[in-house]
Amino acid sequence: MNMPDSPVINSMRVVPVAGYDSMLLNIGGAHNCHFTRILVIIGDSAGNSGVGECPCHASTLSLLEKFTPQVVGSSLRQMNATVSRLFASDARQQTSEQTDRVHIPQMNPEKFYNAAAAIEAALLDLLGKHLELPVADLLASGRQRDRIPVLGYLFYIADRKLTTMNYQSGEQQRAPWFWLRHQPAMDHQAVVRLAEAAQEHYGFRDFKLKGGVHPGEYEVETVEALLARFPTARITVDPNASWSLDEAIGFGKQLAGRVPYLEDPCGAEQGFSGRETLAEFRRATGIPVATNMIANDWRQLQHALQLNAIDIPLADPHFWTLRNAHTVAQLCHEWGLTTGCHSNNHFDVSLAMVAHLGAAAPGDRITAFDTHWIWQDGQHLTHQPPQIRDGYLELPAGPGLGIELDMTRVEAAHALYQSLPDKNRNDALGMQFLIDNWQYNAKRPALVRP
C-alpha cells in the first residue's frame, strides 16, 4: 500500500505571551493585572503551522526548550512516538543525561504536562491540516457535536483603584459586560449584576461562582441570590477546598436539591486526604462532587474513584493533554460519571482546544465546561476566535484546531510579556494592597484573616 509522504517537523517556536486580567479574587489572592501563557508554534515541511497553548511558568518554558530537539526533525505521521518520547523523558529523568543527552531536571508533574500538552495540541493541529480533518475527528471518539455548553464563570472582584497596578478600566462603548468585568463586585447584588451582563452577552444557562474569598456562609448567600435571580439556571460554587468537612456538609445540606454539584467543597484535614473528605461529603449530602484538585493525574483519579469521592473529574487539555483528557471523557461515559473541564485564564488558542475536547466527548453526561474566556474576550491572538453564543462554545470551522494566528497580535502579546518584571503567576501581590502582609492559607478564604 502506498502511503503519501508525511511532512517533517522543521521548526518549533516557544512564545511566552501576556494579556490583561481583572482583579478577580480566589483563595490564592487576587489575579494580577497581567496573566501569562505560552504558545508553541510548530512548522512542517508542507508549509503548515500548528499551535498549542498552556499556562506559563519559567520551568515550563525551560522544559519546552529542552523538548524542542526531540520534536524538530520528527515525522508528523509518527506524532504518537514523538509525544511518547516526551513522556519517556519524564519517566527516566534521573538518567536522561546518560541515555539521550537531554538533561531534564527534577520535574514538577503539572509543569511537565503543561509543556507536553502544548506540543501535542500543536501536532494535532498540524495533523488535522495535513489530513483535512478537525482535531475533534482525530480524537478517539470522533466528533460528537458542533457546539458545547459552557458556563458563566463568576468572581468577586476587588477594587483595582486601591492598587498601583496596571489593571484596565473597562470599555463603555460595548455591551455592559465589558465595563462591569473591571469594576468592584464584592457583594451579592454586584455578582448578580455580573451574571446578568454575562447572560445578556453570551446567553449562559449555567453559572459557577469562584468561592474561597468570603466566609462560606456569605458565599452560600451569593449562590442563593443567583438562584433567586435565575431560577432555571444551574448554579454552583467552587470554594477551592477552603471549607472544613463539617462546614461543607452544613452548606451542602442547605443547598441540596438546588445545585447540580459542588466543586471541591472541602479538602485534606486532620490526617485525612482530600479524597477521603470528599467521599464523606458525598455520603452525607448526596450532592455530586466535581474536582480539579484531587484527581489531576491517572494515579489520583484511580484513588478518587475507588473511594467514590467524585462524580465529575474536570480534566482539561492543559493539565492532562488533549488526548488524555479525552480518555477521561471516555471513562466518564463508560462508567456513568459526568464529563467536565477545568479552566484558568487563557487566550483563544486554549478556547479552541477546549472546543475540540468537548466536541469529541462521548455521550450525554456532559456538564457545562469552565472557561475564563469571558474575562479575556477582546484580547484574541487569532484572526477569528471561537465564539460563545446562546451559552454554547461553537466548534471552529476548518481543519486542525480551525484557527489561524494573528502574528501581529502574538508579537504584541510577547512584547508585553517581556516587559513584565514578575513573569510567574503570583496572586499574593494584589492582595497586599487589600490586607497588609497577606499570605496564602489553603484552609482560610482569602478575606478571612485574624
Side-chain angles (χ1 to χ4, degrees), residues 12 91 116 140 171 173 182 207 249-250 270 285 314 320 420 424:
M12 176 171 145
E171 303 166 71
Q173 295 76 31
H182 295 285
F207 293 99
I249 290 173
Q270 300 180 14
T285 66
L314 301 174
W320 281 82
L420 301 181
N424 289 329

Side-chain angles (χ1 to χ4, degrees), residues 375-398:
W375 300 95
Q376 278 75 55
D377 191 355
Q379 301 184 68
H380 51 276
L381 301 182
T382 65
H383 286 289
Q384 292 182 308
Q387 298 294 308
I388 299 174
R389 296 188 179 97
D390 198 28
Y392 287 85
L393 171 60
E394 298 177 356
L395 189 68

Side-chain angles (χ1 to χ4, degrees), residues 78-88 116 119-120 123 323:
Q78 296 179 319
M79 67 160 289
N80 287 342
T82 301
V83 175
S84 293
R85 281 197 299 273
L86 305 184
F87 281 90
I119 292 172
E120 183 194 83
L123 291 173
R323 293 187 299 176

Side-chain angles (χ1 to χ4, degrees), residues 42-360:
I42 297 178
D44 68 18
S45 57
N48 291 321
S49 65
V51 62
E53 179 184 335
C54 70
C56 183
H57 191 276
S59 59
T60 312
L61 286 168
S62 178
L63 282 168
L64 285 165
E65 295 295 344
K66 295 178 189 300
F67 285 154
T68 298
Q70 300 186 62
V71 177
V72 174
S74 66
S75 168
L76 182 59
R77 184 191 300 165
Q78 296 179 319
M79 67 160 289
N80 287 342
T82 301
V83 175
S84 293
R85 281 197 299 273
L86 305 184
F87 281 90
S89 296
D90 180 40
R92 65 175 186 256
Q93 58 181 292
Q94 299 297 331
T95 58
S96 63
E97 192 169 26
Q98 289 75 30
T99 57
D100 62 3
R101 298 185 181 276
V102 178
H103 175 60
I104 299 174
Q106 291 289 326
M107 290 185 188
N108 178 317
E110 176 185 300
K111 304 301 186 291
F112 171 82
Y113 271 85
N114 290 166
I119 292 172
E120 183 194 83
L123 291 173
L124 284 169
D125 190 17
L126 272 177
L127 185 60
K129 290 174 180 175
H130 176 59
L131 299 175
E132 298 184 351
L133 291 171
V135 165
D137 281 345
L138 301 180
L139 301 177
S141 298
R143 179 168 37 172
Q144 306 290 307
R145 59 191 64 81
D146 292 323
R147 62 178 192 164
I148 62 169
V150 288
L151 54 75
Y153 205 157
L154 305 173
F155 286 77
Y156 296 104
I157 310 175
D159 187 350
R160 58 185 166 77
K161 294 180 181 178
L162 298 176
T163 80
T164 58
M165 301 170 71
N166 188 30
Y167 290 103
Q168 302 297 287
S169 60
E171 303 166 71
Q172 293 183 302
Q173 295 76 31
R174 302 178 66 185
W177 168 256
F178 294 95
W179 166 256
L180 289 172
R181 67 180 180 175
H182 295 285
Q183 312 313 315
M186 296 298 291
D187 58 27
H188 314 319
Q189 293 74 24
V191 172
V192 168
R193 181 68 189 103
L194 274 174
E196 290 172 339
Q199 185 184 65
E200 177 185 330
H201 189 67
Y202 299 102
F204 292 122
R205 293 172 171 82
D206 303 76
F207 293 99
K208 182 174 82 171
L209 173 67
K210 173 62 76 173
V213 177
H214 292 288
E217 296 86 351
Y218 192 87
E219 294 179 349
V220 170
E221 290 175 3
T222 302
V223 171
E224 290 178 328
L226 289 165
L227 286 166
R229 174 60 183 83
F230 303 98
T232 62
R234 300 171 75 251
I235 296 169
T236 191
V237 60
D238 170 20
N240 277 130
S242 62
W243 300 344
S244 70
L245 175 59
D246 288 343
E247 287 176 325
I249 290 173
F251 298 146
K253 289 181 177 179
Q254 186 175 341
L255 293 171
R258 296 190 290 160
V259 295
Y261 63 90
L262 288 177
E263 181 177 340
D264 289 307
C266 52
E269 66 178 48
Q270 300 180 14
F272 295 97
S273 70
R275 285 171 280 280
E276 291 170 312
T277 58
L278 285 179
E280 292 187 33
F281 170 84
R282 284 183 76 247
R283 286 195 294 270
T285 66
I287 297 177
V289 170
T291 184
N292 77 297
M293 296 182 68
I294 56 92
N296 291 338
D297 58 35
W298 296 114
R299 179 179 176 183
Q300 291 180 13
L301 181 61
Q302 174 193 8
H303 287 289
L305 295 178
Q306 286 176 337
L307 289 172
N308 291 317
I310 62 171
D311 305 271
I312 309 171
L314 301 174
D316 78 36
H318 311 95
F319 292 88
W320 281 82
T321 81
L322 259 168
R323 293 187 299 176
N324 281 338
H326 179 263
T327 300
V328 175
Q330 289 180 299
L331 294 177
C332 288
H333 174 58
E334 297 295 339
W335 294 351
L337 302 169
T338 298
T339 298
C341 183
H342 160 264
S343 169
N344 56 12
N345 37 10
H346 60 81
F347 284 108
D348 41 329
V349 174
S350 284
L351 191 64
M353 292 165 61
V354 167
H356 284 270
L357 172 63

